[in-house]
Amino acid sequence: MKVDCIVIGAGAAGLMCAATAGYRGRSVAVLDHANKVGKKILMSGGGRCNFTNFSVDATNYLSRNPHFCKSALSRYRPQDFIELVDRHGINYHEKTKGQLFCDHKSSDILQMLLTECDYAGVEISTHCTVVKIEQEQGDGGFRLRTSLGDYRCQSLVVATGGLSIPTMGATGFGYEVAGQFGIQCLPRWASLVPFTITDKWQPVISALAGVSLDVVAGVGDQQFSDPLLFTHRGLSGPAMLQISNYWQPGAPLTIDFLPGHNLAALITEWRSSGQKGELKTLLSAILPKRFVQAWLEQSVGSRQVQQYSDAELDILQSQFHRWTITPSGTEGYRTAEVTMGGVNTDEVSSKTFEAKKVPGLYFVGEVLDVTGWLGGYNFQWAWASGFCAGQYV
Ligand code: FDA
């Protein structure tokens, strides 16, 4: 089969790229090895797909070259995707911090992309294993040997995503293709991922599994104000996932469990107003009871507020406002939302997404070394990079 363009990977970026190229009149085939297309779209946002964010700019992304993403993000903005969603009559709402979720289900977004591909005349094949890619001599282009037969194309788009959730079809195929053509890949690791804790805090944390509270979490200069969730194995919740993008093994996290308050000042106030209760009772009005109990047990214990010394107030202050923990690691690709690192963006044009060394070969989406924050930023990158490449493939 001969087409103008083949897209490997029927995920967010691949489907967007295919539809855009199809609308330009290009003949496009999308090949995916999985049994179903768009699996990560379906499982995203707890089944409601956090498909974009009202406010997106380059500061929401990590990449060795922080400028690379700017061009595509400015050429395809959240508003462009929202207009598409509106045209398809999909209802959505803002949950928090500009994050837009479907009212109904993630499948609305996948169905929208498939409808767009259909209108644009794109052919999509699942259960397709790409066995070999060869560059054609003469006119250029590529020849693909696949489990569904041979394909030839002028433009080849690699949209195979990252390594997270292998059970959903994630593979390192995109990095292998880059390697085959001498294109550099940067080291990769799981990100937007929960932390594991194995030190003395493990039993305390495990006993709190299921407790969630608003915190300010920091690593180095980076801070996020979001909920934290204790788990049987460590720390999760949006605050931890966000911080994981900036964490390096061995680095300590600092957590403020009472943001917007000053515990020492509160205790002083309670004392001077003659409050008689135990500290755990007073604190349980502003923090989850189980957490208060455990945190006091690990520091100075709970007594009448009047009975704490100044030295103990200092201990409480650091225990609740500047708790430091060094994770033993992360839960890895099994549960990570994204892969940090990937195809070095220096190897790719930020305008066309074509590999500088290999005319006709394009990389879009998560396979590139561009990783967004939690909150719809990774899909916006998939849409933007897919759309921009779709103008040229
Ligand atoms: P994507 O992973 O979507 O697609 C890659 C495609 O390539 C897949 O269809 C795969 O089967 C196929 N493929 C892989 N190897 C292949 C091979 N060898 N041959 C053929 N095909 C192959 N982001 C966000 O912005 N908001 C959110 O709500 C969420 N939620 C979320 C939840 C969970 C659980 C996860 C794991 C991830 C998220 N994300 C997210 C991240 C988001 O899903 C991710 O960044 C995008 O899907 C990346 O889009 P891509 O198209 O690059 O890859």
PDB file of all heavy atoms in Angstrom, residues 15 37-51 81 85 90-91 93 100-114 379 383:
ATOM      1  N   LEU A  15      -3.343  10.791  16.277  1.00  0.00           N
ATOM      2  CA  LEU A  15      -4.662  11.008  15.674  1.00  0.00           C
ATOM      3  C   LEU A  15      -4.825  12.475  15.272  1.00  0.00           C
ATOM      4  O   LEU A  15      -5.392  12.781  14.213  1.00  0.00           O
ATOM      5  CB  LEU A  15      -5.773  10.580  16.636  1.00  0.00           C
ATOM      6  CG  LEU A  15      -5.847   9.057  16.914  1.00  0.00           C
ATOM      7  CD1 LEU A  15      -6.886   8.758  17.991  1.00  0.00           C
ATOM      8  CD2 LEU A  15      -6.156   8.273  15.638  1.00  0.00           C
ATOM      9  N   VAL A  37      -7.526   1.762  19.739  1.00  0.00           N
ATOM     10  CA  VAL A  37      -6.797   3.036  19.633  1.00  0.00           C
ATOM     11  C   VAL A  37      -7.042   3.889  20.882  1.00  0.00           C
ATOM     12  O   VAL A  37      -8.014   3.666  21.615  1.00  0.00           O
ATOM     13  CB  VAL A  37      -7.224   3.825  18.377  1.00  0.00           C
ATOM     14  CG1 VAL A  37      -6.920   3.032  17.118  1.00  0.00           C
ATOM     15  CG2 VAL A  37      -8.691   4.215  18.438  1.00  0.00           C
ATOM     16  N   GLY A  38      -6.164   4.837  21.122  1.00  0.00           N
ATOM     17  CA  GLY A  38      -6.368   5.865  22.142  1.00  0.00           C
ATOM     18  C   GLY A  38      -6.607   5.373  23.556  1.00  0.00           C
ATOM     19  O   GLY A  38      -7.365   5.991  24.314  1.00  0.00           O
ATOM     20  N   LYS A  39      -5.910   4.315  23.956  1.00  0.00           N
ATOM     21  CA  LYS A  39      -6.180   3.751  25.296  1.00  0.00           C
ATOM     22  C   LYS A  39      -5.870   4.739  26.417  1.00  0.00           C
ATOM     23  O   LYS A  39      -6.552   4.766  27.433  1.00  0.00           O
ATOM     24  CB  LYS A  39      -5.360   2.482  25.505  1.00  0.00           C
ATOM     25  CG  LYS A  39      -5.896   1.288  24.745  1.00  0.00           C
ATOM     26  CD  LYS A  39      -5.149   0.049  25.165  1.00  0.00           C
ATOM     27  CE  LYS A  39      -5.619  -1.155  24.378  1.00  0.00           C
ATOM     28  NZ  LYS A  39      -4.957  -2.383  24.819  1.00  0.00           N
ATOM     29  N   LYS A  40      -4.803   5.524  26.237  1.00  0.00           N
ATOM     30  CA  LYS A  40      -4.462   6.458  27.336  1.00  0.00           C
ATOM     31  C   LYS A  40      -5.464   7.594  27.421  1.00  0.00           C
ATOM     32  O   LYS A  40      -5.701   8.125  28.502  1.00  0.00           O
ATOM     33  CB  LYS A  40      -3.045   6.995  27.159  1.00  0.00           C
ATOM     34  CG  LYS A  40      -2.039   6.015  27.675  1.00  0.00           C
ATOM     35  CD  LYS A  40      -0.693   6.628  27.900  1.00  0.00           C
ATOM     36  CE  LYS A  40       0.290   5.510  28.146  1.00  0.00           C
ATOM     37  NZ  LYS A  40       1.668   5.917  27.887  1.00  0.00           N
ATOM     38  N   ILE A  41      -6.040   7.942  26.290  1.00  0.00           N
ATOM     39  CA  ILE A  41      -7.098   8.970  26.339  1.00  0.00           C
ATOM     40  C   ILE A  41      -8.252   8.415  27.178  1.00  0.00           C
ATOM     41  O   ILE A  41      -8.790   9.099  28.044  1.00  0.00           O
ATOM     42  CB  ILE A  41      -7.585   9.338  24.914  1.00  0.00           C
ATOM     43  CG1 ILE A  41      -6.437   9.933  24.101  1.00  0.00           C
ATOM     44  CG2 ILE A  41      -8.776  10.291  24.988  1.00  0.00           C
ATOM     45  CD1 ILE A  41      -6.775  10.195  22.635  1.00  0.00           C
ATOM     46  N   LEU A  42      -8.598   7.159  26.926  1.00  0.00           N
ATOM     47  CA  LEU A  42      -9.745   6.557  27.627  1.00  0.00           C
ATOM     48  C   LEU A  42      -9.524   6.489  29.135  1.00  0.00           C
ATOM     49  O   LEU A  42     -10.449   6.692  29.912  1.00  0.00           O
ATOM     50  CB  LEU A  42     -10.015   5.148  27.081  1.00  0.00           C
ATOM     51  CG  LEU A  42     -10.533   5.108  25.644  1.00  0.00           C
ATOM     52  CD1 LEU A  42     -10.668   3.660  25.174  1.00  0.00           C
ATOM     53  CD2 LEU A  42     -11.877   5.829  25.522  1.00  0.00           C
ATOM     54  N   MET A  43      -8.285   6.185  29.552  1.00  0.00           N
ATOM     55  CA  MET A  43      -8.048   6.017  30.995  1.00  0.00           C
ATOM     56  C   MET A  43      -7.673   7.342  31.678  1.00  0.00           C
ATOM     57  O   MET A  43      -7.524   7.394  32.900  1.00  0.00           O
ATOM     58  CB  MET A  43      -6.961   4.969  31.242  1.00  0.00           C
ATOM     59  CG  MET A  43      -5.556   5.426  30.910  1.00  0.00           C
ATOM     60  SD  MET A  43      -4.358   4.086  30.951  1.00  0.00           S
ATOM     61  CE  MET A  43      -4.557   3.489  32.600  1.00  0.00           C
ATOM     62  N   SER A  44      -7.544   8.396  30.892  1.00  0.00           N
ATOM     63  CA  SER A  44      -7.018   9.649  31.465  1.00  0.00           C
ATOM     64  C   SER A  44      -8.037  10.366  32.346  1.00  0.00           C
ATOM     65  O   SER A  44      -9.248  10.167  32.208  1.00  0.00           O
ATOM     66  CB  SER A  44      -6.595  10.587  30.333  1.00  0.00           C
ATOM     67  OG  SER A  44      -7.736  10.996  29.613  1.00  0.00           O
ATOM     68  N   GLY A  45      -7.491  11.198  33.212  1.00  0.00           N
ATOM     69  CA  GLY A  45      -8.335  12.060  34.054  1.00  0.00           C
ATOM     70  C   GLY A  45      -9.379  11.286  34.831  1.00  0.00           C
ATOM     71  O   GLY A  45     -10.506  11.771  34.976  1.00  0.00           O
ATOM     72  N   GLY A  46      -9.021  10.089  35.302  1.00  0.00           N
ATOM     73  CA  GLY A  46      -9.964   9.272  36.060  1.00  0.00           C
ATOM     74  C   GLY A  46     -11.200   8.927  35.230  1.00  0.00           C
ATOM     75  O   GLY A  46     -12.307   8.807  35.758  1.00  0.00           O
ATOM     76  N   GLY A  47     -10.999   8.782  33.886  1.00  0.00           N
ATOM     77  CA  GLY A  47     -12.124   8.422  33.004  1.00  0.00           C
ATOM     78  C   GLY A  47     -12.840   9.627  32.425  1.00  0.00           C
ATOM     79  O   GLY A  47     -13.763   9.493  31.622  1.00  0.00           O
ATOM     80  N   ARG A  48     -12.374  10.858  32.790  1.00  0.00           N
ATOM     81  CA  ARG A  48     -13.047  12.063  32.278  1.00  0.00           C
ATOM     82  C   ARG A  48     -12.111  12.938  31.440  1.00  0.00           C
ATOM     83  O   ARG A  48     -12.483  14.015  31.013  1.00  0.00           O
ATOM     84  CB  ARG A  48     -13.601  12.900  33.439  1.00  0.00           C
ATOM     85  CG  ARG A  48     -14.760  12.256  34.184  1.00  0.00           C
ATOM     86  CD  ARG A  48     -16.005  13.126  34.090  1.00  0.00           C
ATOM     87  NE  ARG A  48     -17.227  12.405  34.421  1.00  0.00           N
ATOM     88  CZ  ARG A  48     -17.766  12.353  35.617  1.00  0.00           C
ATOM     89  NH1 ARG A  48     -17.185  12.988  36.589  1.00  0.00           N
ATOM     90  NH2 ARG A  48     -18.883  11.703  35.818  1.00  0.00           N
ATOM     91  N   CYS A  49     -10.908  12.497  31.192  1.00  0.00           N
ATOM     92  CA  CYS A  49      -9.921  13.166  30.335  1.00  0.00           C
ATOM     93  C   CYS A  49      -9.760  14.663  30.628  1.00  0.00           C
ATOM     94  O   CYS A  49     -10.560  15.481  30.190  1.00  0.00           O
ATOM     95  CB  CYS A  49     -10.253  12.976  28.855  1.00  0.00           C
ATOM     96  SG  CYS A  49      -8.959  13.578  27.773  1.00  0.00           S
ATOM     97  N   ASN A  50      -8.708  14.975  31.323  1.00  0.00           N
ATOM     98  CA  ASN A  50      -8.350  16.387  31.532  1.00  0.00           C
ATOM     99  C   ASN A  50      -7.641  16.822  30.247  1.00  0.00           C
ATOM    100  O   ASN A  50      -6.435  16.766  30.136  1.00  0.00           O
ATOM    101  CB  ASN A  50      -7.438  16.477  32.759  1.00  0.00           C
ATOM    102  CG  ASN A  50      -6.942  17.866  33.049  1.00  0.00           C
ATOM    103  OD1 ASN A  50      -6.009  18.035  33.811  1.00  0.00           O
ATOM    104  ND2 ASN A  50      -7.544  18.866  32.445  1.00  0.00           N
ATOM    105  N   PHE A  51      -8.465  17.258  29.247  1.00  0.00           N
ATOM    106  CA  PHE A  51      -7.957  17.356  27.874  1.00  0.00           C
ATOM    107  C   PHE A  51      -7.123  18.602  27.595  1.00  0.00           C
ATOM    108  O   PHE A  51      -6.378  18.650  26.633  1.00  0.00           O
ATOM    109  CB  PHE A  51      -9.092  17.221  26.864  1.00  0.00           C
ATOM    110  CG  PHE A  51     -10.223  18.197  27.064  1.00  0.00           C
ATOM    111  CD1 PHE A  51     -10.141  19.476  26.585  1.00  0.00           C
ATOM    112  CD2 PHE A  51     -11.380  17.794  27.727  1.00  0.00           C
ATOM    113  CE1 PHE A  51     -11.188  20.369  26.755  1.00  0.00           C
ATOM    114  CE2 PHE A  51     -12.440  18.681  27.907  1.00  0.00           C
ATOM    115  CZ  PHE A  51     -12.334  19.981  27.423  1.00  0.00           C
ATOM    116  N   PHE A  81      -8.267  23.873  20.739  1.00  0.00           N
ATOM    117  CA  PHE A  81      -8.808  22.540  21.058  1.00  0.00           C
ATOM    118  C   PHE A  81     -10.212  22.670  21.648  1.00  0.00           C
ATOM    119  O   PHE A  81     -11.101  21.883  21.334  1.00  0.00           O
ATOM    120  CB  PHE A  81      -7.873  21.784  22.011  1.00  0.00           C
ATOM    121  CG  PHE A  81      -8.200  20.318  22.085  1.00  0.00           C
ATOM    122  CD1 PHE A  81      -7.821  19.457  21.060  1.00  0.00           C
ATOM    123  CD2 PHE A  81      -8.918  19.796  23.148  1.00  0.00           C
ATOM    124  CE1 PHE A  81      -8.152  18.099  21.107  1.00  0.00           C
ATOM    125  CE2 PHE A  81      -9.250  18.451  23.201  1.00  0.00           C
ATOM    126  CZ  PHE A  81      -8.860  17.600  22.177  1.00  0.00           C
ATOM    127  N   VAL A  85     -13.702  20.871  20.544  1.00  0.00           N
ATOM    128  CA  VAL A  85     -14.565  20.167  21.506  1.00  0.00           C
ATOM    129  C   VAL A  85     -15.993  20.738  21.443  1.00  0.00           C
ATOM    130  O   VAL A  85     -16.980  19.998  21.411  1.00  0.00           O
ATOM    131  CB  VAL A  85     -13.959  20.292  22.930  1.00  0.00           C
ATOM    132  CG1 VAL A  85     -14.939  19.874  24.010  1.00  0.00           C
ATOM    133  CG2 VAL A  85     -12.683  19.467  23.028  1.00  0.00           C
ATOM    134  N   ILE A  90     -19.340  18.501  22.848  1.00  0.00           N
ATOM    135  CA  ILE A  90     -18.917  17.796  24.070  1.00  0.00           C
ATOM    136  C   ILE A  90     -18.993  18.771  25.252  1.00  0.00           C
ATOM    137  O   ILE A  90     -18.430  19.868  25.192  1.00  0.00           O
ATOM    138  CB  ILE A  90     -17.478  17.251  23.913  1.00  0.00           C
ATOM    139  CG1 ILE A  90     -17.441  16.222  22.784  1.00  0.00           C
ATOM    140  CG2 ILE A  90     -16.972  16.644  25.218  1.00  0.00           C
ATOM    141  CD1 ILE A  90     -16.039  15.776  22.397  1.00  0.00           C
ATOM    142  N   ASN A  91     -19.670  18.360  26.291  1.00  0.00           N
ATOM    143  CA  ASN A  91     -19.766  19.217  27.479  1.00  0.00           C
ATOM    144  C   ASN A  91     -18.572  18.977  28.393  1.00  0.00           C
ATOM    145  O   ASN A  91     -18.115  17.844  28.528  1.00  0.00           O
ATOM    146  CB  ASN A  91     -21.051  18.931  28.245  1.00  0.00           C
ATOM    147  CG  ASN A  91     -22.258  19.352  27.444  1.00  0.00           C
ATOM    148  OD1 ASN A  91     -22.221  20.353  26.741  1.00  0.00           O
ATOM    149  ND2 ASN A  91     -23.318  18.575  27.521  1.00  0.00           N
ATOM    150  N   HIS A  93     -16.157  20.851  31.977  1.00  0.00           N
ATOM    151  CA  HIS A  93     -16.159  21.790  33.095  1.00  0.00           C
ATOM    152  C   HIS A  93     -14.719  22.025  33.571  1.00  0.00           C
ATOM    153  O   HIS A  93     -13.846  21.187  33.322  1.00  0.00           O
ATOM    154  CB  HIS A  93     -16.998  21.239  34.260  1.00  0.00           C
ATOM    155  CG  HIS A  93     -16.511  19.901  34.760  1.00  0.00           C
ATOM    156  ND1 HIS A  93     -16.854  18.714  34.136  1.00  0.00           N
ATOM    157  CD2 HIS A  93     -15.695  19.577  35.799  1.00  0.00           C
ATOM    158  CE1 HIS A  93     -16.272  17.702  34.783  1.00  0.00           C
ATOM    159  NE2 HIS A  93     -15.555  18.195  35.790  1.00  0.00           N
ATOM    160  N   LEU A 100      -9.500  21.421  32.379  1.00  0.00           N
ATOM    161  CA  LEU A 100     -10.789  21.127  31.760  1.00  0.00           C
ATOM    162  C   LEU A 100     -11.002  19.612  31.615  1.00  0.00           C
ATOM    163  O   LEU A 100     -10.143  18.911  31.062  1.00  0.00           O
ATOM    164  CB  LEU A 100     -10.885  21.784  30.384  1.00  0.00           C
ATOM    165  CG  LEU A 100     -10.761  23.307  30.394  1.00  0.00           C
ATOM    166  CD1 LEU A 100     -11.072  23.878  29.025  1.00  0.00           C
ATOM    167  CD2 LEU A 100     -11.676  23.931  31.430  1.00  0.00           C
ATOM    168  N   PHE A 101     -12.132  19.148  32.105  1.00  0.00           N
ATOM    169  CA  PHE A 101     -12.495  17.722  32.072  1.00  0.00           C
ATOM    170  C   PHE A 101     -13.820  17.555  31.337  1.00  0.00           C
ATOM    171  O   PHE A 101     -14.674  18.453  31.384  1.00  0.00           O
ATOM    172  CB  PHE A 101     -12.709  17.182  33.498  1.00  0.00           C
ATOM    173  CG  PHE A 101     -11.449  16.976  34.294  1.00  0.00           C
ATOM    174  CD1 PHE A 101     -10.779  18.052  34.843  1.00  0.00           C
ATOM    175  CD2 PHE A 101     -10.955  15.694  34.510  1.00  0.00           C
ATOM    176  CE1 PHE A 101      -9.624  17.861  35.599  1.00  0.00           C
ATOM    177  CE2 PHE A 101      -9.799  15.494  35.257  1.00  0.00           C
ATOM    178  CZ  PHE A 101      -9.135  16.585  35.801  1.00  0.00           C
ATOM    179  N   CYS A 102     -14.014  16.394  30.715  1.00  0.00           N
ATOM    180  CA  CYS A 102     -15.313  16.070  30.110  1.00  0.00           C
ATOM    181  C   CYS A 102     -16.347  15.923  31.228  1.00  0.00           C
ATOM    182  O   CYS A 102     -16.041  15.361  32.281  1.00  0.00           O
ATOM    183  CB  CYS A 102     -15.257  14.734  29.375  1.00  0.00           C
ATOM    184  SG  CYS A 102     -14.135  14.724  27.988  1.00  0.00           S
ATOM    185  N   ASP A 103     -17.580  16.377  30.970  1.00  0.00           N
ATOM    186  CA  ASP A 103     -18.664  16.131  31.932  1.00  0.00           C
ATOM    187  C   ASP A 103     -19.008  14.650  31.943  1.00  0.00           C
ATOM    188  O   ASP A 103     -19.361  14.085  32.973  1.00  0.00           O
ATOM    189  CB  ASP A 103     -19.948  16.878  31.513  1.00  0.00           C
ATOM    190  CG  ASP A 103     -19.857  18.365  31.800  1.00  0.00           C
ATOM    191  OD1 ASP A 103     -18.845  18.785  32.380  1.00  0.00           O
ATOM    192  OD2 ASP A 103     -20.801  19.088  31.424  1.00  0.00           O
ATOM    193  N   HIS A 104     -18.925  14.046  30.741  1.00  0.00           N
ATOM    194  CA  HIS A 104     -19.401  12.669  30.568  1.00  0.00           C
ATOM    195  C   HIS A 104     -18.228  11.706  30.692  1.00  0.00           C
ATOM    196  O   HIS A 104     -17.884  11.295  31.791  1.00  0.00           O
ATOM    197  CB  HIS A 104     -20.115  12.599  29.223  1.00  0.00           C
ATOM    198  CG  HIS A 104     -20.650  11.275  28.853  1.00  0.00           C
ATOM    199  ND1 HIS A 104     -21.482  10.565  29.675  1.00  0.00           N
ATOM    200  CD2 HIS A 104     -20.469  10.525  27.732  1.00  0.00           C
ATOM    201  CE1 HIS A 104     -21.794   9.423  29.077  1.00  0.00           C
ATOM    202  NE2 HIS A 104     -21.187   9.364  27.915  1.00  0.00           N
ATOM    203  N   LYS A 105     -17.561  11.387  29.588  1.00  0.00           N
ATOM    204  CA  LYS A 105     -16.485  10.383  29.635  1.00  0.00           C
ATOM    205  C   LYS A 105     -15.355  10.764  28.686  1.00  0.00           C
ATOM    206  O   LYS A 105     -15.577  11.451  27.681  1.00  0.00           O
ATOM    207  CB  LYS A 105     -17.037   9.023  29.181  1.00  0.00           C
ATOM    208  CG  LYS A 105     -17.806   8.298  30.253  1.00  0.00           C
ATOM    209  CD  LYS A 105     -17.799   6.805  29.951  1.00  0.00           C
ATOM    210  CE  LYS A 105     -19.173   6.307  29.632  1.00  0.00           C
ATOM    211  NZ  LYS A 105     -19.296   5.064  28.988  1.00  0.00           N
ATOM    212  N   SER A 106     -14.167  10.199  28.963  1.00  0.00           N
ATOM    213  CA  SER A 106     -13.002  10.408  28.088  1.00  0.00           C
ATOM    214  C   SER A 106     -13.276   9.950  26.662  1.00  0.00           C
ATOM    215  O   SER A 106     -12.690  10.475  25.711  1.00  0.00           O
ATOM    216  CB  SER A 106     -11.818   9.595  28.581  1.00  0.00           C
ATOM    217  OG  SER A 106     -11.485   9.920  29.887  1.00  0.00           O
ATOM    218  N   SER A 107     -14.145   8.968  26.525  1.00  0.00           N
ATOM    219  CA  SER A 107     -14.416   8.422  25.187  1.00  0.00           C
ATOM    220  C   SER A 107     -15.000   9.501  24.271  1.00  0.00           C
ATOM    221  O   SER A 107     -14.905   9.383  23.051  1.00  0.00           O
ATOM    222  CB  SER A 107     -15.348   7.214  25.267  1.00  0.00           C
ATOM    223  OG  SER A 107     -16.500   7.547  25.991  1.00  0.00           O
ATOM    224  N   ASP A 108     -15.585  10.573  24.834  1.00  0.00           N
ATOM    225  CA  ASP A 108     -16.075  11.677  23.995  1.00  0.00           C
ATOM    226  C   ASP A 108     -14.918  12.271  23.193  1.00  0.00           C
ATOM    227  O   ASP A 108     -15.070  12.617  22.022  1.00  0.00           O
ATOM    228  CB  ASP A 108     -16.667  12.804  24.872  1.00  0.00           C
ATOM    229  CG  ASP A 108     -17.990  12.404  25.502  1.00  0.00           C
ATOM    230  OD1 ASP A 108     -18.545  11.352  25.124  1.00  0.00           O
ATOM    231  OD2 ASP A 108     -18.463  13.155  26.387  1.00  0.00           O
ATOM    232  N   ILE A 109     -13.763  12.424  23.855  1.00  0.00           N
ATOM    233  CA  ILE A 109     -12.600  13.036  23.184  1.00  0.00           C
ATOM    234  C   ILE A 109     -12.056  12.083  22.125  1.00  0.00           C
ATOM    235  O   ILE A 109     -11.751  12.482  20.997  1.00  0.00           O
ATOM    236  CB  ILE A 109     -11.489  13.387  24.214  1.00  0.00           C
ATOM    237  CG1 ILE A 109     -12.008  14.427  25.219  1.00  0.00           C
ATOM    238  CG2 ILE A 109     -10.214  13.868  23.522  1.00  0.00           C
ATOM    239  CD1 ILE A 109     -12.318  15.802  24.649  1.00  0.00           C
ATOM    240  N   LEU A 110     -11.949  10.799  22.471  1.00  0.00           N
ATOM    241  CA  LEU A 110     -11.453   9.835  21.488  1.00  0.00           C
ATOM    242  C   LEU A 110     -12.398   9.777  20.290  1.00  0.00           C
ATOM    243  O   LEU A 110     -11.953   9.810  19.132  1.00  0.00           O
ATOM    244  CB  LEU A 110     -11.296   8.442  22.138  1.00  0.00           C
ATOM    245  CG  LEU A 110     -10.807   7.358  21.195  1.00  0.00           C
ATOM    246  CD1 LEU A 110      -9.458   7.719  20.566  1.00  0.00           C
ATOM    247  CD2 LEU A 110     -10.690   6.014  21.923  1.00  0.00           C
ATOM    248  N   GLN A 111     -13.699   9.734  20.565  1.00  0.00           N
ATOM    249  CA  GLN A 111     -14.672   9.659  19.466  1.00  0.00           C
ATOM    250  C   GLN A 111     -14.561  10.900  18.576  1.00  0.00           C
ATOM    251  O   GLN A 111     -14.638  10.810  17.353  1.00  0.00           O
ATOM    252  CB  GLN A 111     -16.095   9.513  20.029  1.00  0.00           C
ATOM    253  CG  GLN A 111     -17.133   9.132  18.994  1.00  0.00           C
ATOM    254  CD  GLN A 111     -16.677   7.962  18.106  1.00  0.00           C
ATOM    255  OE1 GLN A 111     -16.321   6.906  18.600  1.00  0.00           O
ATOM    256  NE2 GLN A 111     -16.629   8.177  16.786  1.00  0.00           N
ATOM    257  N   MET A 112     -14.334  12.039  19.196  1.00  0.00           N
ATOM    258  CA  MET A 112     -14.175  13.281  18.426  1.00  0.00           C
ATOM    259  C   MET A 112     -12.979  13.174  17.471  1.00  0.00           C
ATOM    260  O   MET A 112     -13.082  13.516  16.288  1.00  0.00           O
ATOM    261  CB  MET A 112     -13.964  14.443  19.402  1.00  0.00           C
ATOM    262  CG  MET A 112     -13.665  15.757  18.736  1.00  0.00           C
ATOM    263  SD  MET A 112     -13.171  16.995  19.951  1.00  0.00           S
ATOM    264  CE  MET A 112     -11.432  16.614  20.112  1.00  0.00           C
ATOM    265  N   LEU A 113     -11.846  12.646  17.974  1.00  0.00           N
ATOM    266  CA  LEU A 113     -10.652  12.527  17.127  1.00  0.00           C
ATOM    267  C   LEU A 113     -10.886  11.520  16.005  1.00  0.00           C
ATOM    268  O   LEU A 113     -10.455  11.724  14.868  1.00  0.00           O
ATOM    269  CB  LEU A 113      -9.448  12.100  17.971  1.00  0.00           C
ATOM    270  CG  LEU A 113      -8.966  13.130  18.991  1.00  0.00           C
ATOM    271  CD1 LEU A 113      -7.995  12.497  19.978  1.00  0.00           C
ATOM    272  CD2 LEU A 113      -8.301  14.325  18.293  1.00  0.00           C
ATOM    273  N   LEU A 114     -11.594  10.439  16.320  1.00  0.00           N
ATOM    274  CA  LEU A 114     -11.862   9.422  15.296  1.00  0.00           C
ATOM    275  C   LEU A 114     -12.817   9.977  14.235  1.00  0.00           C
ATOM    276  O   LEU A 114     -12.656   9.700  13.043  1.00  0.00           O
ATOM    277  CB  LEU A 114     -12.443   8.153  15.934  1.00  0.00           C
ATOM    278  CG  LEU A 114     -11.456   7.405  16.847  1.00  0.00           C
ATOM    279  CD1 LEU A 114     -12.127   6.210  17.523  1.00  0.00           C
ATOM    280  CD2 LEU A 114     -10.234   6.928  16.054  1.00  0.00           C
ATOM    281  N   PHE A 379      -1.672  16.484  27.341  1.00  0.00           N
ATOM    282  CA  PHE A 379      -2.532  16.391  26.153  1.00  0.00           C
ATOM    283  C   PHE A 379      -2.384  17.637  25.275  1.00  0.00           C
ATOM    284  O   PHE A 379      -2.340  17.530  24.060  1.00  0.00           O
ATOM    285  CB  PHE A 379      -3.995  16.171  26.537  1.00  0.00           C
ATOM    286  CG  PHE A 379      -4.307  14.718  26.815  1.00  0.00           C
ATOM    287  CD1 PHE A 379      -5.082  14.357  27.909  1.00  0.00           C
ATOM    288  CD2 PHE A 379      -3.830  13.711  25.988  1.00  0.00           C
ATOM    289  CE1 PHE A 379      -5.362  13.022  28.172  1.00  0.00           C
ATOM    290  CE2 PHE A 379      -4.096  12.377  26.242  1.00  0.00           C
ATOM    291  CZ  PHE A 379      -4.871  12.034  27.327  1.00  0.00           C
ATOM    292  N   TRP A 383      -1.733  17.539  21.346  1.00  0.00           N
ATOM    293  CA  TRP A 383      -2.548  18.203  20.301  1.00  0.00           C
ATOM    294  C   TRP A 383      -1.694  19.189  19.506  1.00  0.00           C
ATOM    295  O   TRP A 383      -1.741  19.223  18.277  1.00  0.00           O
ATOM    296  CB  TRP A 383      -3.736  18.979  20.899  1.00  0.00           C
ATOM    297  CG  TRP A 383      -4.550  18.341  21.984  1.00  0.00           C
ATOM    298  CD1 TRP A 383      -4.992  18.941  23.131  1.00  0.00           C
ATOM    299  CD2 TRP A 383      -5.074  16.992  22.036  1.00  0.00           C
ATOM    300  NE1 TRP A 383      -5.720  18.062  23.889  1.00  0.00           N
ATOM    301  CE2 TRP A 383      -5.788  16.865  23.257  1.00  0.00           C
ATOM    302  CE3 TRP A 383      -4.993  15.884  21.199  1.00  0.00           C
ATOM    303  CZ2 TRP A 383      -6.417  15.675  23.650  1.00  0.00           C
ATOM    304  CZ3 TRP A 383      -5.613  14.699  21.583  1.00  0.00           C
ATOM    305  CH2 TRP A 383      -6.309  14.606  22.778  1.00  0.00           C
TER     306      TRP A 383
END
